[in-house]
Amino acid sequence: MACQLFVSSCSDSNVQSPKNRNIEQRVEMLLRKMTLAEKAGQMTQVGIPTILEQEGYWDAADTLIIDTNKLRKALNEDHIGSFVGKGFYPPSRQEYYHFIKQIQDFAVNETRLAIPIVYATDAVHGAHYTAKSTIFPHQIAMAATWNPTLTEKMAEITAYELRASNTPWNYAPVVDISWQAQWGRIYETFGEDTYLTSTMGKAFSKGAQSDSMANLEKTALCLKHLIGYGSPLYGKDRKNTLMPERFIRQYYLPPFQEAIKSGVKSVMISSGLVNSIPCHVNKFLITELLKEELGFTGIAISDWGDMQFLSDFHKTAPNHKAAVEQMVNAGIDMCMVPYDASFAHHVIDLVNEGAIPLTRIDDAVRRILTFKFELGLFEQPNTHFDDYPDFGSKKFAKESYRAAAEGITLLKNNNILPLEKGKKILVTGVAAHSLNYLNGPWTRSWSGQDTSYNDNEKNTIFEALIEKNGAANTSYYAGTSYDADLNTKETLKAAKNADCIVICLGEEPATERPSDIKELYLPKAQRQFVKELHKTGKPIVLVMVQGRTRIISDLTQLADGIIMAYYPSHEGGDALADILLGDVNPSGKLPLTYQKYAAAPMPYIHTVTDRADNFGGYSDYDPQWPFGFGLSYTEFTYDKIALNKKELTKNDCLIVTVQLTNSGKRSGKEVVQLYLRDEYASIDPDFERLIRFKKVSLLPGETKEIEFKISQKDLAFVSAENKWMTESGEFTLATGNRMDQKKSVKFTLKSNTVNK
Ligand code: BGC
């Protein structure tokens, strides 16, 4: 019984439908015909510059012209099975079609076994490597909407636009949890909470894959990055995470597990380390946990260059060949090499020397071929851009706008917002007039910094404010760059004529290693700029365009209004202007804790002890704004939280209700969040843990009763023996005002369960 309750069994994906049986037979037939070299090639993914006319890997920046000799060698001699794109410049969908078709045609017409290649790319917020595609807010901003339907829509449109670019495999979503406030890739995640991330991950999978990734408007997905990547001890990219197995199972694994259950068929292994073991050589992680325990039947793919990293950087292998032995034996099925075919050559040698069993190779290739069959590549190796008339359409842009408008989060409002239209606004700051800041990294190019690829018809914040507030009432000065003064004096002069100053601060686009920071505070030049403008005595609104929560504790008292914009992308300028001027009532909530102190930043998931003051009471979680926080232009009142009974038994449900009233004067949306605390447990319990949420719209004066059902499964935690279990005892549920305000109800659970 307990097992049924707590093991999210993946048996669903193992059920043999007639279609699967058919695929299985086709895979076995093919596998029997394959040479070792052909198998090793299928396991190899190279970057596209390896087959381009233009020489030099990173310089191959501005064409997609294939060198046919290189292509012939890659497919006929090295038997390469997969290619990965990277952001050099954004080709059009027509260019992608011809480029990928040329590789694909060669693979299916001129190789011995006619196995199609599979082309992969990172489309983490829209098909952003294709020119003119729809760009969505980054995942952190999608999470801030607390509206999974918007994430589903984003994933659906991204899949459509990828297929319009002849690309069937998306390296998204990122379901890493981040508890490390400094980490540079937080914006690529759904934040710091397991339940919110799992919910958004499932919505992403539903939108992108539906029930079949062979559908020509859908793509395969790849969950990133197993595991612990988002919480490196010292906050830097691809470094060591120290984490007990208990934490991995309770907080980090469920989003992967849920997305796998919903049908995602590939998982990218983290380039980082957990407890000093590089994830790529961790057999427990890849084989025992992912494949055996979760029943994952898809592909475990390496991250970019991890064969090299293992020997050149992590030093677990003296050379690349030893790295290949370690990673394949640990369970890696496909290696993103990506600079050449050396991985395949090492695989052949290692099998011949008996260092890698052929059964391991067959297992990997079986997974890869199954994936290709399930993607429908054998039937339909290419998709044509003309079949996707909605690509880059206004209709899609509207969905991106909706997401931006629902994610942007109002953090402070001293009755300054919304601004009265027609008043004189000075808009300034590094992010005020920049599409690159709004979009963040992974936009048209990898870093997102190159202005020459910008879609200039889209509005920056300044341009959107001009449209909505009138050019005569809206002026702009940059004021600062990311970390240096530019024209503070002129800006200060201009401020004299303004009724209000909107200062758009932010983080310049950067990802992976370049996104590492040494200081969590927002750069001094930007903070000093706000302090100077404050001296003018004019009201100040801060708009934070950033991927993580850079500390602004010295500015919060100087500003009358503060808005967290995240990276709201192409429609973000318009969405922000509409929020500033009151055409949209903000409804975003923080999907992460907004940190106040650089020393020991703390996520909202922490134990009761972490929060406790030994002299009584709770005090140690002192963020600038807590997880789940966000204001509105209206007021919401929570009342009458109630339970249908005071005791929960096995196989039973508890119904929690709460009345929510819009007690303000505008219609608005509120995210009702339900938190749980286990009052006493054998392991220091979490102070509170999100277990449900619902986003609701209310007219002024309207009251709605919100209902949540919970079961024993929601009370489970991972024990000291690394097993999911529940313990009988008292529990507290809180909503609206959270545990600290004691607007809560208590109930008891009578029985214990342990998952064996
Ligand atoms: C990143 C991955 C990405 C891969 C392919 C790596 O450097 O860590 O997230 O999917 O590159 O571009």
Side-chain angles (χ1 to χ4, degrees):
M1 189 65 225
C3 280
Q4 279 165 6
L5 259 180
F6 300 130
V7 178
S8 306
S9 138
C10 290
S11 54
D12 294 2
S13 54
N14 293 330
V15 171
Q16 288 286 304
S17 68
K19 196 172 132 219
N20 282 351
R21 267 205 301 278
N22 187 275
I23 288 182
E24 206 178 294
Q25 284 161 3
R26 292 172 78 184
V27 167
E28 291 309 318
M29 271 170 55
L30 208 44
L31 198 61
R32 275 198 292 274
K33 291 185 199 157
M34 291 172 82
T35 62
L36 176 58
E38 283 164 339
K39 291 176 183 175
Q42 282 301 313
M43 294 171 68
T44 309
Q45 181 178 72
V46 293
I48 53 175
T50 55
I51 51 163
L52 295 182
E53 256 184 13
Q54 212 170 333
E55 288 298 332
Y57 197 90
W58 293 106
D59 303 333
D62 49 13
T63 70
L64 280 186
I65 301 169
I66 291 178
D67 178 326
T68 45
N69 288 328
K70 289 182 187 168
L71 180 66
R72 189 173 303 279
K73 180 177 179 313
L75 294 185
N76 267 337
E77 289 175 31
D78 296 326
H79 312 286
I80 299 300
S82 184
F83 290 81
V84 59
K86 192 85 177 166
F88 302 103
Y89 80 105
S92 67
R93 62 195 198 282
Q94 289 82 355
E95 274 177 280
Y96 269 123
Y97 170 74
H98 292 296
F99 171 70
I100 296 168
K101 185 170 185 300
Q102 195 181 339
I103 310 174
Q104 200 63 284
D105 285 353
F106 193 98
V108 297
N109 298 323
E110 297 186 48
T111 64
R112 194 178 75 91
L113 295 173
I115 302 173
I117 60 105
V118 57
Y119 188 90
T121 194
D122 297 283
V124 296
H125 67 140
H128 48 78
Y129 280 159
T130 307
K132 300 291 165 208
S133 62
T134 310
I135 308 281
F136 279 85
H138 267 289
Q139 270 189 218
I140 195 74
M142 297 304 299
T145 67
W146 294 63
N147 183 347
T149 328
L150 295 174
T151 298
E152 189 183 326
K153 201 74 197 164
M154 166 212 200
E156 185 187 310
I157 292 170
T158 303
Y160 179 97
E161 296 199 345
L162 276 181
R163 286 289 197 164
S165 319
N166 201 6
T167 299
W169 190 9
N170 184 3
Y171 285 165
V174 172
V175 289
D176 294 315
I177 301 290
S178 181
W179 285 357
Q180 172 41 285
Q182 226 182 296
W183 190 50
R185 299 184 74 177
I186 286 179
Y187 68 91
E188 291 180 57
T189 73
F190 290 121
E192 69 188 31
D193 179 65
T194 308
Y195 180 72
L196 182 57
T197 301
S198 297
T199 309
M200 289 297 180
K202 273 192 289 185
F204 200 110
S205 152
K206 192 167 168 211
Q209 299 197 155
S210 242
D211 48 6
S212 164
M213 57 196 203
N215 178 329
L216 297 182
E217 293 188 0
K218 304 291 170 188
T219 59
L221 294 176
C222 183
L223 304 173
K224 304 197 296 196
H225 308 78
L226 194 80
I227 204 163
Y229 185 40
S231 296
L233 183 61
Y234 303 120
K236 304 291 195 291
D237 184 53
R238 289 171 159 78
K239 293 291 163 70
N240 200 9
T241 294
L242 293 189
M243 192 174 290
E245 185 181 329
R246 214 173 68 67
F247 274 31
I248 291 181
R249 288 182 178 277
Q250 179 158 344
Y251 306 108
Y252 285 71
L253 196 58
F256 286 90
Q257 192 169 359
E258 290 297 321
I260 288 167
K261 272 206 287 175
S262 73
V264 178
K265 289 293 171 65
S266 68
V267 170
M268 191 181 293
I269 305 304
S270 158
S271 273
L273 305 87
V274 175
N275 304 330
S276 305
I277 304 172
C279 294
H280 281 81
V281 303
N282 190 335
K283 188 169 181 184
F284 166 72
L285 176 68
I286 308 171
T287 300
E288 292 168 29
L289 194 56
L290 174 68
K291 294 183 176 175
E292 294 171 6
E293 197 178 314
L294 302 193
F296 175 67
T297 54
I299 304 172
I301 181 162
S302 84
D303 199 344
W304 182 277
D306 277 283
M307 172 186 84
Q308 293 88 331
F309 285 154
L310 287 175
S311 70
D312 305 352
F313 180 38
H314 303 317
K315 307 284 182 196
T316 60
N319 51 49
H320 293 177
K321 185 175 166 193
V324 174
E325 180 181 346
Q326 290 177 354
M327 63 204 286
V328 176
N329 282 332
I332 292 287
D333 302 308
M334 187 185 277
C335 183
M336 200 191 310
V337 189
Y339 307 103
D340 54 39
S342 55
F343 170 83
H345 305 153
H346 292 315
V347 167
I348 299 169
D349 291 345
L350 288 160
V351 173
N352 286 333
E353 290 159 17
I356 301 178
L358 191 57
T359 47
R360 175 71 271 276
I361 302 299
D362 284 346
D363 169 52
V365 177
R366 206 171 265 125
R367 289 166 183 270
I368 293 163
L369 294 177
T370 306
F371 182 79
K372 290 185 174 182
F373 276 112
E374 287 179 349
L375 246 180
L377 290 173
F378 285 83
E379 284 71 32
Q380 187 83 26
N382 293 293
T383 44
H384 195 278
F385 50 87
D386 271 347
D387 296 332
Y388 301 86
D390 288 334
F391 176 94
S393 60
K394 288 218 167 78
K395 186 168 96 179
F396 286 177
K398 267 192 193 148
E399 294 297 339
S400 173
Y401 170 87
R402 274 182 67 200
E406 277 207 28
I408 291 167
T409 308
L410 178 62
L411 298 175
K412 177 174 180 182
N413 191 6
N414 271 354
N415 288 324
I416 177 124
L417 292 169
L419 303 173
E420 210 180 303
K421 278 187 193 157
K423 291 272 171 162
K424 298 238 175 294
I425 300 177
L426 167 67
V427 51
T428 180
V430 67
H433 192 24
S434 163
L435 284 178
N436 301 73
Y437 270 73
L438 285 178
N439 280 317
W442 300 104
T443 307
R444 304 299 182 230
S445 65
W446 173 64
S447 76
Q449 285 179 2
D450 197 325
T451 52
S452 54
Y453 305 136
N454 284 356
D455 300 40
N456 289 322
E457 70 281 9
K458 298 289 175 187
N459 279 336
T460 63
I461 303 173
F462 168 53
E463 287 163 345
L465 279 171
I466 290 183
E467 271 180 23
K468 292 165 212 285
N469 195 46
N473 300 320
T474 313
S475 56
Y476 161 76
Y477 283 90
T480 64
S481 69
Y482 174 63
D483 52 9
D485 286 354
L486 285 178
N487 47 16
T488 314
K489 274 196 193 127
E490 287 91 328
T491 317
L492 284 169
K493 227 185 330 170
K496 296 211 171 87
N497 303 322
D499 296 314
C500 169
I501 313 170
V502 175
I503 314 178
C504 305
L505 305 171
E507 285 199 291
E508 66 187 350
T511 190
E512 303 185 43
R513 183 68 175 154
S515 67
D516 285 350
I517 48 172
K518 294 202 168 106
E519 174 58 274
L520 197 52
Y521 276 90
L522 196 71
K524 199 169 167 208
Q526 294 196 53
R527 288 186 291 121
Q528 195 52 40
F529 180 56
V530 176
K531 289 171 190 166
E532 294 299 323
L533 283 169
H534 174 68
K535 290 182 193 153
T536 64
K538 302 284 177 171
I540 286 176
V541 176
L542 301 182
V543 176
M544 309 301 304
V545 182
Q546 55 185 354
R548 59 202 137 186
T549 67
R550 301 298 290 267
I551 295 177
I552 49 165
S553 52
D554 51 343
L555 305 183
T556 52
Q557 293 311 314
L558 312 185
D560 300 285
I562 304 179
I563 291 174
M564 176 71 166
Y566 315 92
Y567 290 129
S569 286
H570 265 162
E571 311 305 320
D574 285 317
L576 276 162
D578 284 341
I579 285 175
L580 287 165
L581 296 169
D583 290 334
V584 167
N585 188 356
S587 63
K589 302 273 178 187
L590 290 172
L592 73 182
T593 301
Y594 202 114
Q595 300 296 338
K596 181 150 113 193
Y597 303 108
M602 197 169 165
Y604 99 94
I605 286 277
H606 49 256
T607 68
V608 170
T609 307
D610 285 330
R611 168 86 63 119
D613 172 346
N614 297 351
F615 295 102
Y618 294 112
S619 63
D620 280 349
Y621 179 60
D622 183 19
Q624 195 71 64
W625 294 283
F627 172 84
F629 180 80
L631 301 168
S632 163
Y633 293 153
T634 190
E635 293 287 324
F636 293 102
T637 319
Y638 287 77
D639 202 11
K640 296 191 183 150
I641 176 163
L643 291 172
N644 64 334
K645 53 187 174 186
K646 286 282 177 200
E647 204 178 288
L648 182 63
T649 50
K650 233 197 256 183
N651 308 329
D652 203 3
C653 271
L654 198 68
I655 298 174
V656 195
T657 50
V658 63
Q659 275 189 6
L660 179 72
T661 302
N662 180 347
S663 38
K665 293 195 176 64
R666 291 188 55 148
S667 45
K669 291 180 187 162
E670 169 71 335
V671 181
V672 183
Q673 304 163 38
L674 186 68
Y675 291 87
L676 173 93
R677 187 201 297 156
D678 190 347
E679 289 297 333
Y680 291 91
S682 53
I683 284 184
D684 188 11
D686 289 335
F687 181 82
E688 59 187 346
R689 174 156 60 89
L690 181 74
I691 57 166
R692 292 284 185 282
F693 64 87
K694 209 174 265 179
K695 192 160 192 175
V696 246
S697 292
L698 288 177
L699 298 169
E702 192 180 355
T703 297
K704 277 187 184 161
E705 187 171 85
I706 317 300
E707 182 183 295
F708 297 106
K709 270 193 196 127
I710 65 162
S711 69
Q712 199 176 337
K713 189 177 169 189
D714 296 302
L715 315 182
F717 66 94
V718 176
S719 70
E721 287 75 39
N722 299 322
K723 304 276 184 222
W724 279 100
M725 68 177 298
T726 56
E727 286 176 350
S728 58
E730 195 174 39
F731 292 82
T732 304
L733 285 170
T735 186
N737 302 312
R738 314 272 292 267
M739 297 286 174
D740 278 340
Q741 271 71 30
K742 300 194 173 49
K743 282 255 175 124
S744 53
V745 277
K746 289 194 188 306
F747 67 95
T748 54
L749 174 75
K750 283 289 179 193
S751 54
N752 290 347
T753 49
V754 181
N755 168 25
K756 298 275 180 325

